[in-house]
Amino acid sequence: LSAQDQLQQKIICPGPVTCLTASPNGLYILAGVAESIYLWEVSNGNLLAILNRHYQDLTCLCFTDDSSHFLSGAKDCLALVWNLYSVLQAEPSQIPDPRHVWSRHSLPITDLCCGFGGPLARAATASLDQTAKLWEISSGELLLSVLFDVGIMAVTLDLSEYHMFCGGMDGSIFQVDLCTWPVQRDRTFQTERENGKVFKGHRNQVTCLSVSTDGSLLLSGSHDETVRLWDIQSKQCLKTMNHKGPVTNAFIVLAPANMFNPDGKPSVPLPKFSKHLHGTESSDEPGAEGVTLRLGLHQQEPGQSYLEKAERMYSQMYLTREKNLVGDQEHLTIQVSELEEEVSNLRKINKDLFNFSARIITNPAK
C-alpha cells in the first residue's frame, strides 16, 4: 500500500492464512487456515462454516465460475469438491460431506484451476508427484493425467480449454494440448520430443499462471523474482517485470471501469469478519446480529435487510460492467457510421469511374 492508499479493513484470522479466494458473485470469502476451511459472508461478516475434512494444511482454494461449488487442495494429497448450498444448509454441529474426494495424487496438491460451465465444468489439479490431472466436476471422473519429469507448482486452462499450462519446479512451463487424437487418459510429457510446447526463461520454480481472455498471452510468476508475459503461439517472452522477492501470485484481470478514476473508492464498506460461527457468538462480542429477512415491503423498519444489502452489492458490481459495455456500444456505433460513410463514398467513386470509362469507350477519339 502506498501512503495515499487507505486500508479499508484489517481482518484478524484464527491463524496464518495459506490460501484465500472470493466467490465470483462477490458474496462469500474462503480462507485456508492450517487444515481448516473458513467460509465468511461478505455483506455482514458472519462466519458461516468451518470445514475440517483435510488432514494437513490447505494449499489452494477456488470457486466454479457460477459460485455454486468450490474446490480445496491440501498437503494431504487430497482435492475435495464442495457444493456451497450443501455447506450452507448443514447444521452447525455436523460437518458437511464434500461432493467428491479426489485421491489419485500421491504427493501434496500445489494448485487448482476451474474451467467454464459451473457444476458442469472441468477442473485441473497440480501436484508435487509430477502430474497434472483433469477432472469432471459433475461426475467426479478423472479425464486425463499427464506425467512430467518435474514437480508441478501451478496449473491453468485457457478460456476455450484447448490447452492446459503447467508450471514446473525447475522454471519450465509446459503446454498440454487437450484436443489431440487419439485420446489417452494417461500421458507422459517428454520434453525433448515436445520441444515446441515448452516456455523457457524462468530460473526457479513457477508459482502462478494466467491466460488472457483471447488466449494469446500467458502470464507467469516465479521464485526467481520475475513476472513474465509470453506469446503463446511463438513461446517468446514479450516482457519481464522484476520484483524484490519471490513472486507468489499474479493474474490477468479485466480492468473495472473506475480503476483509473483517482476518486474511486469502495462504496460498500466491509464489515468486521466474525471469529465465531454464526449463531454461536460469545456474549463478549456486542452487536452480533442475526440475518434479517424482510419479505413484506409494508413492514418498513430502520436498517437494511440482508436481501437489500445483497441487491446493493450486485448493483455496484454490475454498474462498472455496464459502464464498460455502454462505452463499447458507443464506440461500435461511431465505427459503424464511419464505415457506412466510407462505403457510400466508395460507391460514388465507383459510379464516376464507370461513367468516365463508358464515355471513353462509346466516344472513341476522332
Side-chain angles (χ1 to χ4, degrees), residues 42-222:
V42 174
S43 65
N44 52 26
N46 284 340
L47 177 58
L48 302 179
I50 302 172
L51 305 171
N52 295 304
R53 285 299 297 264
H54 282 285
Y55 305 106
Q56 289 181 40
D57 290 1
L58 268 284
T59 54
C60 41
L61 288 163
C62 74
F63 271 94
T64 53
D65 57 1
D66 66 343
S67 307
S68 68
H69 289 71
F70 61 90
L71 281 70
S72 61
K75 289 181 179 176
D76 60 6
C77 318
L78 296 179
L80 307 182
V81 180
W82 302 85
N83 181 316
L84 180 64
Y85 179 73
S86 302
V87 169
L88 296 175
Q89 289 298 100
E91 293 294 317
S93 55
Q94 65 177 100
I95 300 172
D97 287 324
R99 184 169 170 182
H100 301 300
V101 177
W102 292 334
S103 56
R104 303 285 286 273
H105 283 290
S106 55
L107 283 172
I109 308 282
T110 52
D111 199 14
L112 290 167
C113 165
C114 263
F116 176 77
L120 302 175
R122 298 186 293 181
T125 56
S127 169
L128 292 177
D129 66 8
Q130 305 191 352
T131 68
K133 298 186 193 294
L134 195 67
W135 312 79
E136 189 172 58
I137 291 177
S138 54
S139 66
E141 192 183 341
L142 175 63
L143 304 175
L144 174 69
S145 179
V146 187
L147 177 66
F148 299 88
D149 46 16
V150 290
I152 301 299
M153 301 303 296
V155 66
T156 194
L157 300 163
D158 65 342
L159 211 56
S160 57
E161 295 179 31
Y162 271 33
H163 308 293
M164 179 165 70
F165 298 94
C166 307
M169 285 280 280
D170 64 349
S172 302
I173 301 165
F174 310 102
Q175 177 183 308
V176 178
D177 297 338
L178 301 178
C179 300
T180 52
W181 193 261
V183 177
Q184 298 167 282
R185 184 178 280 192
D186 292 288
R187 281 196 229 164
T188 303
F189 190 99
Q190 288 163 318
T191 313
E192 62 279 358
R193 239 192 265 165
E194 311 204 46
N195 208 20
K197 292 174 186 170
V198 183
F199 300 78
K200 291 175 182 168
H202 284 300
R203 297 181 306 282
N204 205 330
Q205 70 181 53
V206 176
T207 53
C208 50
L209 293 168
S210 178
V211 183
S212 63
T213 46
D214 65 354
S216 67
L217 300 172
L218 175 72
L219 187 77
S220 63
S222 165

Side-chain angles (χ1 to χ4, degrees), residues 317-336:
M317 281 168 58
Y318 287 109
L319 190 66
T320 57
R321 198 174 290 178
E322 277 169 19
K323 276 184 193 167
N324 277 337
L325 290 173
V326 167
D328 290 349
Q329 201 66 42
E330 285 172 6
H331 183 63
L332 277 173
T333 313
I334 292 163
Q335 265 192 319
V336 166

Side-chain angles (χ1 to χ4, degrees), residues 290-351:
V291 174
T292 316
L293 287 179
R294 198 162 67 218
L295 301 175
L297 283 174
H298 59 281
Q299 301 167 328
Q300 288 297 340
E301 300 164 21
Q304 279 193 316
S305 72
Y306 166 74
L307 292 176
E308 285 169 337
K309 279 183 186 171
E311 187 79 21
R312 191 161 151 231
M313 284 188 76
Y314 267 124
S315 65
Q316 293 290 343
M317 281 168 58
Y318 287 109
L319 190 66
T320 57
R321 198 174 290 178
E322 277 169 19
K323 276 184 193 167
N324 277 337
L325 290 173
V326 167
D328 290 349
Q329 201 66 42
E330 285 172 6
H331 183 63
L332 277 173
T333 313
I334 292 163
Q335 265 192 319
V336 166
S337 62
E338 283 174 356
L339 287 168
E340 281 173 349
E341 201 177 324
E342 199 176 332
V343 166
S344 68
N345 281 339
L346 288 169
R347 278 204 177 118
K348 189 174 178 298
I349 291 164
N350 202 21
K351 195 176 174 187

Side-chain angles (χ1 to χ4, degrees), residues 266-288:
S267 47
V268 182
L270 269 178
K272 216 169 189 169
F273 279 23
S274 176
K275 293 178 193 167
H276 304 278
L277 271 175
H278 178 54
T280 61
E281 278 87 0
S282 56
S283 54
D284 62 332
E285 275 193 32

Side-chain angles (χ1 to χ4, degrees), residues 218-231:
L218 175 72
L219 187 77
S220 63
S222 165
H223 275 192
D224 67 7
E225 306 187 358
T226 67
V227 168
R228 287 174 180 262
L229 192 65
W230 308 83
D231 176 63

